[in-house]
């Protein structure tokens, strides 16, 4: 009886499966992996890492490990390891962490091994723990004094929040979120990036003077930095020009006065006067007196 190509293919696949099962039985080891679980918890609350492996028996051996750049033991030889001793407990094959911290975030793996007729059986389950963290007080950069017409940036950043927070700037207690041409700030021209926390004034004006602070917020909480005063001063162009003119005039007058004095010979007269000064005369008289005294003694 002739077999179809589909029938021959099915027989080959069945034969391959039988050979593979016989290989695992001969080596005395079999392994199975379940789907990865995801657990999300807010920092400082509790979390349960469940080991969902079937056929748990009293002869089963359980190990929990945290997997990352390296592998660290969490539960080994029927005892919790590390700092989990003081803030976690075992419930059956599951771990209950009473006070979760941000450093606990990561991938955990439970391994359950038990002897069977075919040999040692190993079952694994993976749990991904994500820890949500409220923002800390953001670091804010607000200049104290700027000139009108310049480009000014105010910066706000938080490095602790998870998920990454959004940033909102406030001026004198009023949110700047929204259309910059609306509300009470219709004379301002600014852009606010809620992702990067940068508030930029493209051409700042006197109306933008005030107290500014930034608020970082995510799904867990929100914090804000202390308010800082920014003063916008008017740039007095006419005053600057007048000052430059006065300084240039003074420098010119001084230069002309020096040239006039040199042409009149004031500096040369002073030099000749210094040559015939009383000091030189005193020196001459002293020498004559010395000669007279010497001859008198002789």
């Amino acid at each position: 009886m002739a077999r179809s190509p589909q029938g021959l293919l099915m027989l080959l696949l069945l034969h391959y499966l039988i050979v593979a099962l016989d290989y695992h039985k001969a080596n005395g080891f079999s392994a199975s992996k379940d789907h990865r679980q995801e657990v999300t918890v807010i920092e400082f609350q509790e979390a349960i890492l469940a080991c969902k492996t079937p056929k748990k028996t009293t002869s089963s051996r359980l190990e929990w490990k945290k997997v990352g750049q390296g592998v660290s033991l969490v539960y080994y030889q029927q005892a919790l390891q590390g700092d989990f001793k003081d803030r976690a407990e075992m419930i059956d094959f599951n771990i209950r962490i009473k006070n979760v911290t941000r450093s606990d975030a990561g991938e955990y793996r439970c391994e359950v091994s038990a002897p069977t007729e075919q040999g040692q059986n190993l079952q694994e389950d993976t749990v991904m723990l994500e820890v949500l963290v409220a923002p800390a007080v953001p670091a804010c950069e607000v200049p104290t004094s700027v000139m009108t017409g310049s480009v000014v940036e105010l910066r706000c950043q938080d490095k602790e929040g998870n998920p990454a927070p959004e940033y909102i700037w406030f001026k004198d207690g009023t949110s700047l979120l929204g259309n910059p041409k609306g509300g009470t700030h219709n004379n301002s021209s600014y852009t606010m990036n809620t992702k990067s926390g940068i508030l930029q004034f493209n051409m700042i004006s006197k109306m933008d003077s005030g107290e500014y602070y930034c608020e970082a917020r995510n799904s867990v909480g929100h914090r804000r930095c202390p308010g800082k005063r920014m003063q916008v001063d008017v740039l007095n162009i006419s005053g600057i020009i007048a000052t430059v003119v006065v300084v240039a005039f003074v420098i010119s007058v001084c230069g002309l006065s020096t040239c006039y004095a040199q042409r009149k010979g004031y500096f040369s007269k002073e030099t000749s006067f210094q040559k015939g000064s009383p000091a030189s005369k005193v020196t001459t008289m002293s020498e004559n007196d010395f000669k007279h005294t010497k001859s008198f003694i002789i």
Side-chain angles (χ1 to χ4, degrees):
M1 180 177 177
R3 295 182 181 273
S4 63
Q6 293 84 357
L8 290 173
L9 180 60
M10 292 297 295
L11 286 174
L12 289 173
L13 290 174
L14 182 60
H15 176 73
Y16 173 78
L17 291 174
I18 293 172
V19 171
L21 290 173
D22 289 340
Y23 172 81
H24 285 295
K25 289 179 180 179
N27 286 272
F29 179 83
S30 63
S32 63
K33 294 185 178 181
D34 295 333
H35 296 293
R36 189 172 76 170
Q37 310 170 52
E38 293 184 359
V39 176
T40 303
V41 63
I42 297 175
E43 189 177 29
F44 306 127
Q45 295 186 359
E46 71 171 38
I48 295 179
L49 309 182
C51 187
K52 298 181 179 180
T53 57
K55 299 180 180 179
K56 301 172 185 177
T57 63
T58 55
S59 60
S60 299
R61 189 184 70 180
L62 172 68
E63 291 182 7
W64 273 95
K65 300 174 182 178
K66 186 178 181 182
V67 183
Q69 295 181 348
V71 178
S72 58
L73 294 172
V74 177
Y75 182 82
Y76 180 69
Q77 292 184 347
Q78 300 182 352
L80 289 164
Q81 306 295 314
D83 65 340
F84 287 101
K85 295 178 181 179
D86 302 323
R87 57 189 185 92
E89 63 178 356
M90 297 301 299
I91 304 176
D92 198 5
F93 280 10
N94 308 324
I95 298 179
R96 175 175 172 258
I97 306 175
K98 302 175 184 178
N99 188 21
V100 176
T101 64
R102 65 193 70 184
S103 61
D104 295 330
E107 181 178 336
Y108 293 81
R109 185 174 67 218
C110 74
E111 300 175 355
V112 180
S113 59
T116 62
E117 295 179 356
Q118 292 79 21
Q120 196 75 8
N121 179 48
L122 176 65
Q123 297 179 344
E124 296 180 358
D125 199 8
T126 304
V127 180
M128 179 62 68
L129 177 62
E130 181 183 9
V131 181
L132 304 182
V133 182
V137 175
C140 298
E141 298 179 10
V142 180
T144 56
S145 179
V146 296
M147 304 302 294
T148 56
S150 58
V151 178
V152 179
E153 285 188 353
L154 281 64
R155 297 178 176 272
C156 179
Q157 188 178 26
D158 165 73
K159 297 182 179 180
E160 298 187 17
N162 182 42
E166 291 188 346
Y167 304 97
I168 300 176
W169 279 97
F170 292 77
K171 175 181 179 288
D172 297 330
T174 302
S175 172
L176 298 181
L177 185 64
N179 187 355
K181 296 184 179 180
T184 58
H185 306 286
N186 52 0
N187 291 328
S188 300
S189 177
Y190 63 83
T191 56
M192 179 167 54
N193 190 324
T194 59
K195 300 297 183 182
S196 65
I198 297 177
L199 174 65
Q200 178 174 307
F201 293 88
N202 299 321
M203 186 176 291
I204 201 162
S205 67
K206 184 71 175 177
M207 296 286 293
D208 296 318
S209 296
E211 185 180 76
Y212 290 82
Y213 67 84
C214 169
E215 184 178 272
R217 59 176 62 174
N218 62 10
S219 58
V220 185
H222 56 87
R223 299 290 296 274
R224 77 179 196 182
C225 63
K228 297 181 181 179
R229 173 94 185 160
M230 181 177 70
Q231 181 64 37
V232 183
D233 298 319
V234 178
L235 183 62
N236 190 354
I237 299 178
S238 59
I240 294 174
I241 295 175
T243 302
V244 171
V245 171
V246 170
V247 171
F249 176 76
V250 171
I251 293 174
S252 300
V253 170
C254 292
L256 292 173
S257 300
T258 303
C259 292
Y260 179 79
Q262 287 180 345
R263 293 179 64 180
K264 290 295 182 179
Y266 291 134
F267 295 112
S268 60
K269 286 182 178 181
E270 183 180 355
T271 305
S272 62
F273 175 76
Q274 289 177 351
K275 289 181 179 179
S277 61
S280 61
K281 293 181 179 180
V282 170
T283 304
T284 306
M285 292 176 63
S286 298
E287 292 175 354
N288 295 332
D289 291 342
F290 175 74
K291 291 178 180 179
H292 178 73
T293 307
K294 183 177 180 182
S295 59
F296 177 77
I297 294 173
I298 294 172

